[in-house]
Amino acid sequence: MASQLSLQRVSTVWKSGSLIHLTSSAVGIHARRYSSKKGSSSEYLHQSVVPSMHYQKSLPRLPIPKLEETIRRYLAAQRPLLTDDQFRTTEKHAQDFQNGVGKQLHEELVAQDKSNKHTSYISGPWFDMYLSARDSVVLNFNPFMSFNPDPKPEYNDQLVRATNMVCSAVRFMKTLRASLLEPEVFHLNPAKSDTDSFKNLIRWVPSSLSWYGAYMVNAYPLDMSQYFRLFNSTRVPKRGRDELFTDEKARHLIVMRKGNMYAFDIVDRDGNLVKPAEIQSHLKYILSDSTPAPDFPLGVLTSENRDVWAGLREKLIAAGNAEDLQIVDSALFCLCLDDESMQNHIQISHNMLHGDGCNRWYDKSFSIILTKDGQAAINFEHSWGDGVAVLRFQNEIFKDTTEKPLVHPGSAAAPMDSASAVRRLHFNLDSELKNGIKKAKETFDSAVSKLTIDAMEFKKGGKEQLKKSKLSPDAVAQLAFQMGFLRQYGQTVATYESCSTAAFKHGRTETIRPATIHTKQCSHAFVCEPGKHSVEQLRAMLHECSKYHGQLTREAAMGQGFDRHLFAMRYLANSKGQALHSLYTDPAYATINHNILSTSTLTSPAVSLGGFAPVVPDGFGVGYGVHDDWIGCNVSSYPARNVHEFLQCVHKSLEDIFTVLEGKSLN
């Protein structure tokens, strides 16, 4: 990998954007107020008076932390993971780096940043890291977020829901491209900033100053530079480093069913949404098509190692398939219609995270997956962006399909010749390509067979009770994972929680390091010696953990973590062909970046659950949400770890924490 970056750093990145901290309310978790202008309402979700990219020009730039602060934070995060001797060695390497090579690299990075004011210091290296990674995007990178069911059960019919989601997706795309999509803003005081009067005022402030106007009323616009890659985009495999391809002129959708691929237009020549009844008719035709599943489903190639897939794609083009591949790459997005019904959350997670490999095109910027019983989810490719844009899209689609559906359970599909409007793609495959598909399927089956997913719901308390106790809900959830792992395995390990830096121009993510000296001490007290401490002492420890976690979260959201800064300096050294300093070759650096607990939080009215695979073979992939009166976890693991036992340990840890908060002592 060009940046020599270990895999786990990459694949957990999604925790970012989608998530949290700074962004959770920004992506539509409180009710939005939309100001409308006159126009065709069926073509747009809403019509914002403030242009979508109004704040983009004046967004503040992502700061590069001071080198001494980065080293201080790095050592603080290393402390709970190392013995005294190991820590002394790591401290020596870090101080030597700070006084020597690190100082030079930092100065070069700052100089480079000053001459590239149009972007952030992390954006280029971060894209490069993703696109240079050669591992399969399945399990290693692509996460999923599943939709809640439509509150009106009859609208969860596969055909009805698919049609409505396609229509709403086009409306979102049109709203975005017409610059009528409400800008993404984090409102600290919505009563002042999320109002018609403020919007009518700020729209007249020049783009170069608009951010400052929002800042004056405690509103923080977020970077929206990734949004243009949502539609008509695909990650195209190339040897050594992939490329992102976007063709905004294309007007068609790709639909997959039983591994077969179909294309039809969902936008007409004038740029309008095709009549919903026609879209319904085309989807109905696909759902009733009796063409058998292909013996060699092409989609499985997108699950391959990127270099292997790049080589096979070259062969596909040489075999005369360039035009059909272009149709796939340029499609607005991919709609996967599955023939299975889902029995439970675990099956949903497996299906939406990876499926059978045949009825997916994992390289599309995003795919909407719909099962036979109307369960829906988004699976997205990660290199083009973080979760902010995807979650905003998901929230808007859910709101639009549930509040303003364009087709209904009784709606008749348009009487038309869908057979001539819908094109089924045919690929010419020689024996080498067939063999490549067969091998890809075997590799895929072997990889996904090792993945276990389990879920847990803690029903004895949630956000409301924790806030009454003046504790951060996120800090308590993270502490429960630390306690749970200690209870199960007797140790404290490297933990990753991502935080969006979308408050800055071309910001991506920063890492929160939830394993701290405070969580280690607190976990030890709760798990190993509960009888030794009074309820007051245990409560004091909980508050200390919460306070410190809050500080780490604030720092990360403001671009003041240490992970991205160290990464950027390492990337710079690599790009110059410079030997890496001992800070980077120290085993402790490898250990802290071997994220055994990779965690990500997500709560949204549109999302039922989200998930991703562990980022290391001996890790857990922990998706979680802290709700008003309950806490949910959706966790994955490979055979090296026991996910069922881990969730039992996390549940017991939450029970203990809430027992102490109720003023009762632990047994």
Side-chain angles (χ1 to χ4, degrees), residues 171-197:
R171 281 151 54 80
F172 182 97
M173 179 200 77
K174 290 202 61 183
T175 311
L176 172 66
R177 289 184 180 167
S179 203
L180 295 171
L181 187 74
E182 189 90 348
E184 197 67 84
V185 178
F186 180 72
H187 298 279
L188 275 178
N189 185 358
K192 262 190 174 178
S193 57
D194 201 9
T195 64
D196 289 347
S197 55

PDB file of all heavy atoms in Angstrom, residues 171-197:
ATOM      1  N   ARG A 171     -35.400  12.723  -6.796  1.00  0.00           N
ATOM      2  CA  ARG A 171     -35.784  14.042  -6.270  1.00  0.00           C
ATOM      3  C   ARG A 171     -34.638  14.650  -5.441  1.00  0.00           C
ATOM      4  O   ARG A 171     -34.350  15.843  -5.536  1.00  0.00           O
ATOM      5  CB  ARG A 171     -37.060  13.938  -5.428  1.00  0.00           C
ATOM      6  CG  ARG A 171     -38.333  13.853  -6.279  1.00  0.00           C
ATOM      7  CD  ARG A 171     -39.470  13.076  -5.594  1.00  0.00           C
ATOM      8  NE  ARG A 171     -39.831  13.539  -4.264  1.00  0.00           N
ATOM      9  CZ  ARG A 171     -40.615  14.601  -4.007  1.00  0.00           C
ATOM     10  NH1 ARG A 171     -41.110  15.295  -5.005  1.00  0.00           N
ATOM     11  NH2 ARG A 171     -40.905  14.938  -2.772  1.00  0.00           N
ATOM     12  N   PHE A 172     -33.969  13.804  -4.650  1.00  0.00           N
ATOM     13  CA  PHE A 172     -32.815  14.280  -3.862  1.00  0.00           C
ATOM     14  C   PHE A 172     -31.722  14.775  -4.813  1.00  0.00           C
ATOM     15  O   PHE A 172     -31.164  15.862  -4.632  1.00  0.00           O
ATOM     16  CB  PHE A 172     -32.265  13.153  -2.972  1.00  0.00           C
ATOM     17  CG  PHE A 172     -31.107  13.566  -2.106  1.00  0.00           C
ATOM     18  CD1 PHE A 172     -31.305  13.931  -0.780  1.00  0.00           C
ATOM     19  CD2 PHE A 172     -29.802  13.601  -2.602  1.00  0.00           C
ATOM     20  CE1 PHE A 172     -30.231  14.326   0.031  1.00  0.00           C
ATOM     21  CE2 PHE A 172     -28.726  14.002  -1.814  1.00  0.00           C
ATOM     22  CZ  PHE A 172     -28.947  14.358  -0.492  1.00  0.00           C
ATOM     23  N   MET A 173     -31.416  13.960  -5.833  1.00  0.00           N
ATOM     24  CA  MET A 173     -30.364  14.309  -6.779  1.00  0.00           C
ATOM     25  C   MET A 173     -30.684  15.644  -7.473  1.00  0.00           C
ATOM     26  O   MET A 173     -29.837  16.521  -7.591  1.00  0.00           O
ATOM     27  CB  MET A 173     -30.204  13.213  -7.822  1.00  0.00           C
ATOM     28  CG  MET A 173     -29.138  13.510  -8.855  1.00  0.00           C
ATOM     29  SD  MET A 173     -29.354  12.542 -10.346  1.00  0.00           S
ATOM     30  CE  MET A 173     -30.712  13.422 -11.123  1.00  0.00           C
ATOM     31  N   LYS A 174     -31.937  15.780  -7.904  1.00  0.00           N
ATOM     32  CA  LYS A 174     -32.340  17.007  -8.601  1.00  0.00           C
ATOM     33  C   LYS A 174     -32.271  18.222  -7.662  1.00  0.00           C
ATOM     34  O   LYS A 174     -31.841  19.304  -8.053  1.00  0.00           O
ATOM     35  CB  LYS A 174     -33.763  16.860  -9.149  1.00  0.00           C
ATOM     36  CG  LYS A 174     -33.851  15.871 -10.303  1.00  0.00           C
ATOM     37  CD  LYS A 174     -35.075  16.136 -11.147  1.00  0.00           C
ATOM     38  CE  LYS A 174     -34.973  17.523 -11.732  1.00  0.00           C
ATOM     39  NZ  LYS A 174     -36.122  17.910 -12.515  1.00  0.00           N
ATOM     40  N   THR A 175     -32.689  18.029  -6.414  1.00  0.00           N
ATOM     41  CA  THR A 175     -32.661  19.113  -5.418  1.00  0.00           C
ATOM     42  C   THR A 175     -31.216  19.558  -5.189  1.00  0.00           C
ATOM     43  O   THR A 175     -30.914  20.751  -5.147  1.00  0.00           O
ATOM     44  CB  THR A 175     -33.301  18.651  -4.091  1.00  0.00           C
ATOM     45  OG1 THR A 175     -34.562  18.039  -4.364  1.00  0.00           O
ATOM     46  CG2 THR A 175     -33.510  19.811  -3.132  1.00  0.00           C
ATOM     47  N   LEU A 176     -30.317  18.567  -5.066  1.00  0.00           N
ATOM     48  CA  LEU A 176     -28.899  18.854  -4.847  1.00  0.00           C
ATOM     49  C   LEU A 176     -28.310  19.593  -6.049  1.00  0.00           C
ATOM     50  O   LEU A 176     -27.655  20.627  -5.901  1.00  0.00           O
ATOM     51  CB  LEU A 176     -28.144  17.529  -4.617  1.00  0.00           C
ATOM     52  CG  LEU A 176     -26.618  17.598  -4.558  1.00  0.00           C
ATOM     53  CD1 LEU A 176     -26.167  18.380  -3.332  1.00  0.00           C
ATOM     54  CD2 LEU A 176     -26.007  16.196  -4.528  1.00  0.00           C
ATOM     55  N   ARG A 177     -28.569  19.083  -7.254  1.00  0.00           N
ATOM     56  CA  ARG A 177     -27.939  19.664  -8.444  1.00  0.00           C
ATOM     57  C   ARG A 177     -28.522  21.024  -8.823  1.00  0.00           C
ATOM     58  O   ARG A 177     -27.863  21.817  -9.478  1.00  0.00           O
ATOM     59  CB  ARG A 177     -28.022  18.681  -9.615  1.00  0.00           C
ATOM     60  CG  ARG A 177     -27.090  17.490  -9.386  1.00  0.00           C
ATOM     61  CD  ARG A 177     -27.045  16.538 -10.551  1.00  0.00           C
ATOM     62  NE  ARG A 177     -26.140  15.430 -10.258  1.00  0.00           N
ATOM     63  CZ  ARG A 177     -26.069  14.312 -10.969  1.00  0.00           C
ATOM     64  NH1 ARG A 177     -26.859  14.156 -12.025  1.00  0.00           N
ATOM     65  NH2 ARG A 177     -25.217  13.353 -10.647  1.00  0.00           N
ATOM     66  N   ALA A 178     -29.744  21.276  -8.369  1.00  0.00           N
ATOM     67  CA  ALA A 178     -30.336  22.605  -8.616  1.00  0.00           C
ATOM     68  C   ALA A 178     -29.925  23.597  -7.524  1.00  0.00           C
ATOM     69  O   ALA A 178     -30.381  24.737  -7.491  1.00  0.00           O
ATOM     70  CB  ALA A 178     -31.853  22.490  -8.675  1.00  0.00           C
ATOM     71  N   SER A 179     -29.058  23.115  -6.587  1.00  0.00           N
ATOM     72  CA  SER A 179     -28.597  23.929  -5.455  1.00  0.00           C
ATOM     73  C   SER A 179     -29.748  24.351  -4.539  1.00  0.00           C
ATOM     74  O   SER A 179     -29.718  25.399  -3.899  1.00  0.00           O
ATOM     75  CB  SER A 179     -27.835  25.165  -5.946  1.00  0.00           C
ATOM     76  OG  SER A 179     -26.979  25.606  -4.914  1.00  0.00           O
ATOM     77  N   LEU A 180     -30.801  23.485  -4.493  1.00  0.00           N
ATOM     78  CA  LEU A 180     -31.968  23.770  -3.645  1.00  0.00           C
ATOM     79  C   LEU A 180     -31.993  22.913  -2.379  1.00  0.00           C
ATOM     80  O   LEU A 180     -32.906  23.016  -1.573  1.00  0.00           O
ATOM     81  CB  LEU A 180     -33.256  23.525  -4.452  1.00  0.00           C
ATOM     82  CG  LEU A 180     -33.470  24.454  -5.652  1.00  0.00           C
ATOM     83  CD1 LEU A 180     -34.655  23.972  -6.488  1.00  0.00           C
ATOM     84  CD2 LEU A 180     -33.690  25.889  -5.185  1.00  0.00           C
ATOM     85  N   LEU A 181     -30.987  22.039  -2.224  1.00  0.00           N
ATOM     86  CA  LEU A 181     -30.921  21.203  -1.014  1.00  0.00           C
ATOM     87  C   LEU A 181     -30.443  22.065   0.149  1.00  0.00           C
ATOM     88  O   LEU A 181     -29.438  22.773   0.036  1.00  0.00           O
ATOM     89  CB  LEU A 181     -29.947  20.034  -1.224  1.00  0.00           C
ATOM     90  CG  LEU A 181     -29.917  18.989  -0.112  1.00  0.00           C
ATOM     91  CD1 LEU A 181     -31.175  18.117  -0.162  1.00  0.00           C
ATOM     92  CD2 LEU A 181     -28.679  18.095  -0.225  1.00  0.00           C
ATOM     93  N   GLU A 182     -31.193  22.010   1.229  1.00  0.00           N
ATOM     94  CA  GLU A 182     -30.829  22.779   2.425  1.00  0.00           C
ATOM     95  C   GLU A 182     -29.369  22.488   2.790  1.00  0.00           C
ATOM     96  O   GLU A 182     -28.965  21.331   2.882  1.00  0.00           O
ATOM     97  CB  GLU A 182     -31.745  22.315   3.565  1.00  0.00           C
ATOM     98  CG  GLU A 182     -31.655  23.146   4.807  1.00  0.00           C
ATOM     99  CD  GLU A 182     -32.641  24.305   4.833  1.00  0.00           C
ATOM    100  OE1 GLU A 182     -33.254  24.628   3.807  1.00  0.00           O
ATOM    101  OE2 GLU A 182     -32.781  24.888   5.898  1.00  0.00           O
ATOM    102  N   PRO A 183     -28.539  23.532   2.977  1.00  0.00           N
ATOM    103  CA  PRO A 183     -27.146  23.270   3.359  1.00  0.00           C
ATOM    104  C   PRO A 183     -27.080  22.489   4.671  1.00  0.00           C
ATOM    105  O   PRO A 183     -27.978  22.590   5.505  1.00  0.00           O
ATOM    106  CB  PRO A 183     -26.547  24.670   3.537  1.00  0.00           C
ATOM    107  CG  PRO A 183     -27.465  25.588   2.813  1.00  0.00           C
ATOM    108  CD  PRO A 183     -28.827  24.963   2.879  1.00  0.00           C
ATOM    109  N   GLU A 184     -26.013  21.720   4.830  1.00  0.00           N
ATOM    110  CA  GLU A 184     -25.828  20.918   6.041  1.00  0.00           C
ATOM    111  C   GLU A 184     -25.253  21.831   7.121  1.00  0.00           C
ATOM    112  O   GLU A 184     -24.138  22.358   6.968  1.00  0.00           O
ATOM    113  CB  GLU A 184     -24.832  19.793   5.720  1.00  0.00           C
ATOM    114  CG  GLU A 184     -24.836  18.667   6.704  1.00  0.00           C
ATOM    115  CD  GLU A 184     -26.149  17.901   6.671  1.00  0.00           C
ATOM    116  OE1 GLU A 184     -26.324  17.011   5.842  1.00  0.00           O
ATOM    117  OE2 GLU A 184     -26.998  18.219   7.524  1.00  0.00           O
ATOM    118  N   VAL A 185     -26.032  22.060   8.177  1.00  0.00           N
ATOM    119  CA  VAL A 185     -25.599  22.986   9.228  1.00  0.00           C
ATOM    120  C   VAL A 185     -25.840  22.357  10.594  1.00  0.00           C
ATOM    121  O   VAL A 185     -26.882  21.743  10.838  1.00  0.00           O
ATOM    122  CB  VAL A 185     -26.374  24.337   9.143  1.00  0.00           C
ATOM    123  CG1 VAL A 185     -25.951  25.288  10.259  1.00  0.00           C
ATOM    124  CG2 VAL A 185     -26.164  25.001   7.786  1.00  0.00           C
ATOM    125  N   PHE A 186     -24.854  22.502  11.469  1.00  0.00           N
ATOM    126  CA  PHE A 186     -24.993  22.034  12.848  1.00  0.00           C
ATOM    127  C   PHE A 186     -25.458  23.225  13.680  1.00  0.00           C
ATOM    128  O   PHE A 186     -24.723  24.204  13.843  1.00  0.00           O
ATOM    129  CB  PHE A 186     -23.635  21.514  13.331  1.00  0.00           C
ATOM    130  CG  PHE A 186     -23.645  21.002  14.737  1.00  0.00           C
ATOM    131  CD1 PHE A 186     -24.272  19.816  15.058  1.00  0.00           C
ATOM    132  CD2 PHE A 186     -23.010  21.713  15.747  1.00  0.00           C
ATOM    133  CE1 PHE A 186     -24.272  19.338  16.361  1.00  0.00           C
ATOM    134  CE2 PHE A 186     -23.007  21.239  17.052  1.00  0.00           C
ATOM    135  CZ  PHE A 186     -23.636  20.048  17.353  1.00  0.00           C
ATOM    136  N   HIS A 187     -26.708  23.148  14.156  1.00  0.00           N
ATOM    137  CA  HIS A 187     -27.293  24.287  14.885  1.00  0.00           C
ATOM    138  C   HIS A 187     -27.150  24.092  16.391  1.00  0.00           C
ATOM    139  O   HIS A 187     -27.738  23.179  16.964  1.00  0.00           O
ATOM    140  CB  HIS A 187     -28.790  24.411  14.559  1.00  0.00           C
ATOM    141  CG  HIS A 187     -29.072  24.685  13.110  1.00  0.00           C
ATOM    142  ND1 HIS A 187     -28.994  25.939  12.564  1.00  0.00           N
ATOM    143  CD2 HIS A 187     -29.426  23.852  12.092  1.00  0.00           C
ATOM    144  CE1 HIS A 187     -29.296  25.880  11.273  1.00  0.00           C
ATOM    145  NE2 HIS A 187     -29.556  24.627  10.970  1.00  0.00           N
ATOM    146  N   LEU A 188     -26.380  24.973  17.034  1.00  0.00           N
ATOM    147  CA  LEU A 188     -26.294  24.892  18.499  1.00  0.00           C
ATOM    148  C   LEU A 188     -27.467  25.637  19.132  1.00  0.00           C
ATOM    149  O   LEU A 188     -27.847  25.366  20.255  1.00  0.00           O
ATOM    150  CB  LEU A 188     -24.969  25.470  18.994  1.00  0.00           C
ATOM    151  CG  LEU A 188     -23.784  24.495  18.981  1.00  0.00           C
ATOM    152  CD1 LEU A 188     -22.519  25.184  19.445  1.00  0.00           C
ATOM    153  CD2 LEU A 188     -24.055  23.270  19.855  1.00  0.00           C
ATOM    154  N   ASN A 189     -28.033  26.572  18.372  1.00  0.00           N
ATOM    155  CA  ASN A 189     -29.188  27.315  18.874  1.00  0.00           C
ATOM    156  C   ASN A 189     -30.215  27.444  17.739  1.00  0.00           C
ATOM    157  O   ASN A 189     -30.361  28.512  17.130  1.00  0.00           O
ATOM    158  CB  ASN A 189     -28.735  28.698  19.379  1.00  0.00           C
ATOM    159  CG  ASN A 189     -29.872  29.461  20.023  1.00  0.00           C
ATOM    160  OD1 ASN A 189     -31.017  28.981  20.059  1.00  0.00           O
ATOM    161  ND2 ASN A 189     -29.591  30.654  20.523  1.00  0.00           N
ATOM    162  N   PRO A 190     -30.932  26.331  17.433  1.00  0.00           N
ATOM    163  CA  PRO A 190     -31.838  26.325  16.274  1.00  0.00           C
ATOM    164  C   PRO A 190     -32.879  27.441  16.303  1.00  0.00           C
ATOM    165  O   PRO A 190     -33.282  27.934  15.250  1.00  0.00           O
ATOM    166  CB  PRO A 190     -32.520  24.951  16.359  1.00  0.00           C
ATOM    167  CG  PRO A 190     -31.662  24.128  17.252  1.00  0.00           C
ATOM    168  CD  PRO A 190     -30.956  25.069  18.172  1.00  0.00           C
ATOM    169  N   ALA A 191     -33.283  27.867  17.503  1.00  0.00           N
ATOM    170  CA  ALA A 191     -34.311  28.917  17.599  1.00  0.00           C
ATOM    171  C   ALA A 191     -33.833  30.215  16.941  1.00  0.00           C
ATOM    172  O   ALA A 191     -34.629  31.022  16.481  1.00  0.00           O
ATOM    173  CB  ALA A 191     -34.661  29.164  19.061  1.00  0.00           C
ATOM    174  N   LYS A 192     -32.511  30.394  16.876  1.00  0.00           N
ATOM    175  CA  LYS A 192     -31.959  31.605  16.247  1.00  0.00           C
ATOM    176  C   LYS A 192     -31.563  31.356  14.794  1.00  0.00           C
ATOM    177  O   LYS A 192     -31.784  32.191  13.927  1.00  0.00           O
ATOM    178  CB  LYS A 192     -30.698  32.040  17.016  1.00  0.00           C
ATOM    179  CG  LYS A 192     -30.933  33.135  18.020  1.00  0.00           C
ATOM    180  CD  LYS A 192     -29.590  33.634  18.511  1.00  0.00           C
ATOM    181  CE  LYS A 192     -29.753  34.836  19.427  1.00  0.00           C
ATOM    182  NZ  LYS A 192     -28.457  35.289  19.944  1.00  0.00           N
ATOM    183  N   SER A 193     -30.922  30.194  14.547  1.00  0.00           N
ATOM    184  CA  SER A 193     -30.289  29.997  13.234  1.00  0.00           C
ATOM    185  C   SER A 193     -31.114  29.168  12.258  1.00  0.00           C
ATOM    186  O   SER A 193     -30.960  29.294  11.047  1.00  0.00           O
ATOM    187  CB  SER A 193     -28.927  29.340  13.419  1.00  0.00           C
ATOM    188  OG  SER A 193     -29.066  28.104  14.117  1.00  0.00           O
ATOM    189  N   ASP A 194     -32.007  28.303  12.773  1.00  0.00           N
ATOM    190  CA  ASP A 194     -32.780  27.450  11.864  1.00  0.00           C
ATOM    191  C   ASP A 194     -34.158  28.080  11.637  1.00  0.00           C
ATOM    192  O   ASP A 194     -35.195  27.444  11.848  1.00  0.00           O
ATOM    193  CB  ASP A 194     -32.899  26.039  12.465  1.00  0.00           C
ATOM    194  CG  ASP A 194     -33.210  24.997  11.391  1.00  0.00           C
ATOM    195  OD1 ASP A 194     -33.151  25.349  10.205  1.00  0.00           O
ATOM    196  OD2 ASP A 194     -33.512  23.845  11.738  1.00  0.00           O
ATOM    197  N   THR A 195     -34.143  29.340  11.218  1.00  0.00           N
ATOM    198  CA  THR A 195     -35.403  30.083  11.064  1.00  0.00           C
ATOM    199  C   THR A 195     -35.478  30.709   9.669  1.00  0.00           C
ATOM    200  O   THR A 195     -34.445  30.959   9.034  1.00  0.00           O
ATOM    201  CB  THR A 195     -35.494  31.230  12.094  1.00  0.00           C
ATOM    202  OG1 THR A 195     -34.430  32.156  11.809  1.00  0.00           O
ATOM    203  CG2 THR A 195     -35.359  30.731  13.523  1.00  0.00           C
ATOM    204  N   ASP A 196     -36.687  30.992   9.230  1.00  0.00           N
ATOM    205  CA  ASP A 196     -36.874  31.634   7.918  1.00  0.00           C
ATOM    206  C   ASP A 196     -36.183  32.997   7.874  1.00  0.00           C
ATOM    207  O   ASP A 196     -35.563  33.348   6.874  1.00  0.00           O
ATOM    208  CB  ASP A 196     -38.370  31.816   7.619  1.00  0.00           C
ATOM    209  CG  ASP A 196     -39.050  30.482   7.341  1.00  0.00           C
ATOM    210  OD1 ASP A 196     -38.322  29.490   7.145  1.00  0.00           O
ATOM    211  OD2 ASP A 196     -40.296  30.432   7.330  1.00  0.00           O
ATOM    212  N   SER A 197     -36.301  33.759   8.963  1.00  0.00           N
ATOM    213  CA  SER A 197     -35.738  35.116   8.934  1.00  0.00           C
ATOM    214  C   SER A 197     -34.215  35.066   8.801  1.00  0.00           C
ATOM    215  O   SER A 197     -33.624  35.841   8.039  1.00  0.00           O
ATOM    216  CB  SER A 197     -36.147  35.911  10.183  1.00  0.00           C
ATOM    217  OG  SER A 197     -35.775  35.192  11.340  1.00  0.00           O
TER     218      SER A 197
END
